[in-house]
Amino acid sequence: GDVAAKVEHDWMEHVGELRVAQMLHPVMFDFGSDCRQGGEHHGFNDKGLMAADHRTKKDAYWFYRANWTDDPVLHIVGATSDTASSPTPDILVFCNTGRVTLSINGREVGSLDPDEVKSCRWDGVALDEGDNAITVRSGGRERTVMWWNPKTERPRFTVESQTSGAV
């Protein structure tokens, strides 16, 4: 009905059409599917709320949990990535514990109240060069993820072999 249409619209607006399938046709876990050619991996249906390892909870899992349980949820969308989507990413948080405060490397960006689908979104947040600690706080909880600014070249590390006379 109207609520489902609103959730679908807000999810698409926040995250994009690629993951809407997780909202409209949810299955608990990713699974093999020989005939599947879409998604991130050929022959694999990746629309599950959790990865095939049965441990990794995807963003859609946290969306449902924030909206359908009273258990406290504070989740940064994209937390499993180590690189931001851009030097000025939109930061989306699912939260059912009240007002959310966002900080980047200890610098407060601002606070928002979750909307009707338990989401807070900061548009075009400027990241510092290199690594960035993205921290959100709400209801006595705190979550931090580290995102590399994609505009910054990553340092290259080399390993020099050291040989001794021993064989």
Side-chain angles (χ1 to χ4, degrees), residues 9-20:
H9 173 268
D10 286 347
W11 180 259
M12 286 174 54
E13 180 178 299
H14 286 315
V15 180
E17 293 185 36
L18 291 177
R19 292 291 168 214
V20 171

Side-chain angles (χ1 to χ4, degrees), residues 51-114:
D53 66 8
H54 292 208
R55 292 186 197 129
T56 306
K57 296 170 179 138
K58 297 182 181 181
D59 295 328
Y61 171 91
W62 293 108
F63 177 85
Y64 276 123
R65 187 148 181 135
N67 280 278
W68 290 0
T69 71
D70 292 328
D71 296 338
V73 172
L74 180 62
H75 174 74
I76 301 169
V77 172
T80 57
S81 177
D82 67 351
T83 303
S85 59
S86 80
T88 56
D90 295 342
I91 298 177
L92 176 62
V93 174
F94 299 141
C95 177
N96 63 4
T97 57
R99 192 162 184 82
V100 181
T101 300
L102 169 68
S103 299
I104 307 293
N105 295 327
R107 182 183 69 251
E108 188 172 312
V109 173
S111 298
L112 295 173
D113 291 316

Side-chain angles (χ1 to χ4, degrees), residues 1-62:
D2 292 338
V3 173
K6 175 70 173 146
V7 167
E8 177 185 348
H9 173 268
D10 286 347
W11 180 259
M12 286 174 54
E13 180 178 299
H14 286 315
V15 180
E17 293 185 36
L18 291 177
R19 292 291 168 214
V20 171
Q22 288 176 313
M23 301 302 294
L24 301 179
H25 308 288
V27 295
M28 193 62 184
F29 304 105
D30 291 349
F31 57 92
S33 176
D34 287 340
C35 63
R36 182 156 168 80
Q37 295 184 22
E40 294 178 18
H41 306 287
H42 179 72
F44 201 74
N45 187 318
D46 59 359
K47 293 179 191 165
L49 298 177
M50 295 177 71
D53 66 8
H54 292 208
R55 292 186 197 129
T56 306
K57 296 170 179 138
K58 297 182 181 181
D59 295 328
Y61 171 91
W62 293 108

